[in-house]
């Protein structure tokens, strides 16, 4: 935990460097891309190989490439029965056909990786998950609902559903951005650019399970559970927000535990100081794994929060409260520290917008190969990961980055990880098409029988990136992955990443 907190504090000077380039506001960059996008959730029922019944809930974000095709990241988690903790992370591709003014037909394919709760009767194999779907949707303003046919299967395991009904709800929105070639130029916008979030937050803290909390085997918990994670937040108005948080176990013997929650909150100025704020937040979502008894997977969270908006931009936050699994045997008070870095802010009229500097963000799909992963039973095998990756420049040579993914090939189905950190990069080389760089990340990992100690891990990498088109990037890297404490895990890695680059304002 000490190392994670030190890492968070080390990011402070990096954020201080994220200042606009010295350029006059005489030739501003302009928003040059407006694409449709959507946030889509669905519910898929299935029967598991051990005879039990569950349902997968999902959330996906998709951006349109043209009038017919969309693509984007998403996650699936179990939300019914006694299967809390089965998660996958991946990408959805979707083709739509317009049938009438308010109706469309959609064919989707989700490719993800993950798993959980493996047993001799229920195996996820290497972790690869496929979910095709064909659905009919009805639209009402920006919202739409649908019903269709789908199937969930893990090809290298025995977890497979029949073809059954799936239910969908979605909301259409816009994805606006600057050209990545405008990086470093001043710009103005009357709306949020990029993914539409106002800040990204790095979180580290502890939970102390109550005596009533149990493992899935019925054993009482002893000691604390350390967690590390990240949050994306958007402010609706002064002091009011909603956001999405993902975290995993990094200490306490429950490696493989993962949670994803949606949150809302409100805070108010303390002692009349708008930079020092006190309030509360509520959260609900899915969690499990790591032998934590969360029942069907649903989690509730609530508690107070204290927030300090620093004069130089980043925000420091202290949260406390209670996490509770209504259908399981897990209840735990928590305390955690958080560091938030600004991405955007609540839109204003273009004439009132003081503007900012265009910085490049990238959203990508990563495949990583680790040839010597150690398992708890003593064996050593090659494992391949599928991950969602995101990065944002703070300055021309410094950027922040995050990865979330799971095992997709090998025998480590149910192994998942979440990492965040900093990187440095060169100026464009060889006709402005090539960049070289290096990055260091820390985070949490576990599950799938992989040996990771308490779950705290680190990864270092050097890379080369080629610009294939204005917004398309291909990156290849080599590095090392290991546990932070002890020598439970240490393996080289190779990394291939394809990403979509866009410009967003740093204000």
């Amino acid at each position: 935990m000490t190392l994670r907190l030190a890492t968070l504090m080390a990011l402070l000077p990096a954020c201080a460097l994220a200042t606009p380039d010295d350029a006059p506001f005489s030739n501003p960059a302009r928003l040059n891309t407006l694409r449709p996008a959507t946030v889509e959730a669905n519910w898929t029922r299935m029967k598991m190989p051990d005879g039990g019944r569950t349902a997968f809930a999902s959330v996906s974000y998709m951006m349109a490439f043209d009038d017919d095709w969309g693509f984007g990241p998403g996650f699936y988690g179990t939300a019914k029965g006694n299967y809390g903790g089965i998660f996958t992370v991946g990408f959805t591709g979707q083709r739509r056909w317009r049938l009438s003014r308010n109706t469309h037909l959609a064919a989707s394919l989700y490719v993800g990786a993950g798993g959980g709760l493996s047993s001799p009767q229920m195996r996820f194999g290497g972790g690869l998950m496929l979910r095709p779907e064909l659905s009919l949707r009805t639209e009402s303003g920006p919202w739409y609902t649908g019903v269709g046919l789908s199937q969930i299967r893990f090809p290298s395991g025995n977890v497979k559903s029949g073809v059954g009904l799936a239910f969908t709800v979605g909301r259409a929105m816009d994805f606006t951005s600057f050209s990545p070639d405008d990086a470093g130029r001043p710009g103005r916008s009357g709306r949020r650019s990029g993914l539409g979030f106002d800040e990204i937050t790095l979180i580290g803290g502890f939970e102390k399970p109550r005596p009533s909390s149990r493992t899935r085997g019925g054993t009482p918990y002893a000691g604390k559970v350390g967690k590390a994670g990240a949050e994306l937040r958007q402010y609706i108005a002064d002091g009011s927000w909603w956001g999405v948080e993902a975290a995993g176990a990094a200490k306490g013997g429950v490696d493989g535990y993962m949670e994803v929650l949606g949150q809302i909150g409100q805070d108010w100025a303390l002692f009349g100081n708008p930079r020092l704020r006190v309030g509360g937040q509520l959260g609900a979502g899915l969690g499990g794994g790591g032998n934590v008894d969360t029942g069907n997977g649903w989690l509730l969270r609530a508690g107070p929060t204290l927030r300090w908006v620093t004069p130089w931009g980043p925000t420091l936050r202290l949260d406390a409260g209670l996490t509770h699994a209504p259908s399981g045997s897990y209840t735990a008070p928590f305390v955690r520290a958080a560091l938030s870095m600004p991405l955007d802010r609540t839109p204003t009229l273009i004439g009132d917008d003081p503007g900012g500097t265009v910085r490049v963000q990238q959203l990508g799909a990563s495949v990583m190969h680790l040839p010597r992963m150690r398992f708890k039973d003593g064996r050593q095998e090659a494992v391949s990961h599928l991950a969602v990756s995101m990065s944002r420049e703070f300055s021309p040579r410094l950027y922040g980055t995050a990865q979330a993914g799971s095992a997709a090939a090998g025998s480590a189905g149910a192994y998942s990880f979440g990492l965040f950190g900093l990187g440095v990069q060169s100026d464009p080389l060889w006709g402005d098409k090539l960049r070289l760089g290096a990055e260091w990340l820390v985070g949490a990992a576990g599950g799938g029988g992989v040996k990771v100690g308490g779950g705290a891990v680190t990864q270092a990498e050097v890379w080369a990136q080629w610009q294939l088109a204005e917004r398309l990037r291909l990156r290849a890297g080599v590095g090392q992955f290991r546990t932070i404490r002890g020598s439970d895990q240490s393996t080289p890695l190779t990394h291939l990443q394809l990403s979509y680059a866009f410009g967003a304002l740093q204000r």
Side-chain angles (χ1 to χ4, degrees):
M1 182 61 187
T2 302
L3 179 55
R4 291 198 303 277
L5 289 176
T7 303
L8 295 181
M9 297 307 295
L11 290 172
L12 283 171
C15 296
L17 291 174
T19 56
D21 297 337
D22 294 329
F25 210 92
S26 57
N27 184 26
R30 301 186 183 279
L31 292 169
N32 76 337
T33 299
L34 175 61
R35 297 177 184 269
T38 185
V39 173
E40 188 171 292
N42 64 53
W43 181 269
T44 309
R45 298 175 180 176
M46 68 177 291
K47 183 178 180 179
M48 301 298 274
D50 62 357
R53 294 187 178 276
T54 188
F56 276 80
S58 79
V59 175
S60 298
Y61 176 89
M62 286 177 284
M63 181 181 65
F65 285 149
D66 54 32
D67 291 339
D68 301 321
W69 289 93
F71 180 81
F75 87 96
Y76 280 74
T78 46
K80 184 181 179 182
N82 193 33
Y83 296 96
I86 301 176
F87 283 97
T88 69
V89 178
F91 295 85
T92 298
Q94 188 175 100
R95 171 70 158 88
R96 294 186 178 185
W97 292 269
R98 175 62 57 183
L99 302 181
S100 69
R101 179 182 177 86
N102 297 314
T103 308
H104 68 268
L105 182 70
S108 307
L109 177 63
Y110 170 82
V111 179
L117 294 175
S118 296
S119 68
Q121 295 78 32
M122 189 167 62
R123 303 182 305 276
F124 294 92
L128 179 67
M129 172 182 155
L130 302 176
R131 182 188 177 275
E133 178 190 24
L134 183 66
S135 62
L136 182 66
R137 286 91 174 277
T138 300
E139 303 161 14
S140 178
W143 294 90
Y144 60 88
T145 57
V147 61
L149 299 175
S150 71
Q151 181 189 51
I152 291 175
R153 62 183 301 172
F154 288 78
S156 58
N158 69 343
V159 178
K160 177 183 176 181
S161 74
V163 177
L165 290 178
F167 303 92
T168 299
V169 60
R171 190 183 192 283
M173 57 186 64
D174 292 332
F175 179 93
T176 60
S177 66
F178 296 84
S179 168
D181 294 337
D182 287 331
R185 294 179 59 189
R188 284 196 176 105
S189 173
R191 62 173 72 191
R192 291 182 177 93
S193 54
L195 297 177
F197 289 100
D198 297 333
E199 64 183 25
I200 184 170
T201 302
L202 309 180
I203 303 167
F206 285 104
E207 288 185 352
K208 175 64 175 175
R210 287 183 172 174
S212 59
S213 298
R214 296 288 187 271
T215 67
R216 286 191 171 269
T219 305
Y221 278 105
K224 299 177 180 178
V225 177
K227 292 182 179 179
E231 176 190 78
L232 289 168
R233 179 179 288 191
Q234 184 188 97
Y235 287 89
I236 306 167
D238 186 31
S240 301
W241 71 84
W242 70 273
V244 179
E245 176 195 333
K251 187 180 180 182
V254 293
D255 63 277
Y257 175 87
M258 179 181 176
E259 59 188 25
V260 180
L261 295 94
Q263 297 193 116
I264 59 173
Q266 173 71 53
D267 60 21
W268 299 268
L270 188 62
F271 308 124
N273 183 352
R275 292 188 176 276
L276 185 62
R277 310 183 67 88
V278 64
Q281 55 187 353
L282 302 172
L286 301 174
N291 202 25
V292 176
D293 183 8
T294 57
N296 60 18
W298 285 104
L299 291 179
L300 301 177
R301 176 174 294 162
T305 179
L306 180 66
R307 184 165 63 110
W308 176 45
V309 183
T310 68
W312 58 90
T315 296
L316 298 177
R317 203 175 79 221
L318 184 65
D319 298 339
L322 189 72
T323 299
H324 176 62
S327 67
S329 299
Y330 189 78
T331 302
F334 68 86
V335 62
R336 60 188 187 180
L339 171 68
S340 302
M341 294 173 287
L343 298 176
D344 212 321
R345 66 179 177 199
T346 306
T348 60
L349 295 175
I350 190 69
D352 298 329
D353 181 18
T357 302
V358 177
R359 298 296 185 198
V360 175
Q361 293 188 36
Q362 295 187 51
L363 180 64
S366 291
V367 176
M368 287 170 276
H369 182 70
L370 294 83
R372 297 197 295 270
M373 289 285 279
R374 298 176 185 172
F375 289 74
K376 293 178 180 179
D377 62 6
R379 75 185 191 276
Q380 182 174 285
E381 295 181 6
V383 174
S384 294
H385 297 164
L386 175 66
V388 177
S389 56
M390 185 170 65
S391 67
R392 176 176 173 118
E393 292 182 352
F394 297 141
S395 70
R397 293 186 179 86
L398 182 70
Y399 66 91
T401 184
Q403 298 174 3
S406 296
S411 59
Y415 172 83
S416 296
F417 61 92
L419 302 168
F420 51 82
L422 288 172
V424 292
Q425 62 186 8
S426 70
D427 291 329
L429 305 171
W430 295 350
D432 293 341
K433 299 297 183 183
L434 173 69
R435 280 186 187 266
L436 304 176
E439 62 188 35
W440 176 56
L441 302 91
V442 296
V450 176
K451 192 175 183 181
V452 290
V457 296
T458 183
Q459 178 176 304
E461 181 183 340
V462 294
W463 53 263
Q465 177 178 274
W466 290 266
Q467 180 176 332
L468 303 179
E470 179 190 9
R471 294 173 178 264
L472 202 60
R473 308 286 190 267
L474 179 64
R475 182 177 125 174
V478 295
Q480 189 79 11
F481 173 85
R482 59 167 296 143
T483 49
I484 290 179
R485 295 184 178 182
S487 56
D488 288 323
Q489 193 69 247
S490 181
T491 176
L493 67 88
T494 54
H495 181 186
L496 190 65
Q497 174 183 300
L498 183 66
S499 61
Y500 180 82
F502 55 92
L505 283 185
Q506 171 189 299
R507 308 197 212 207

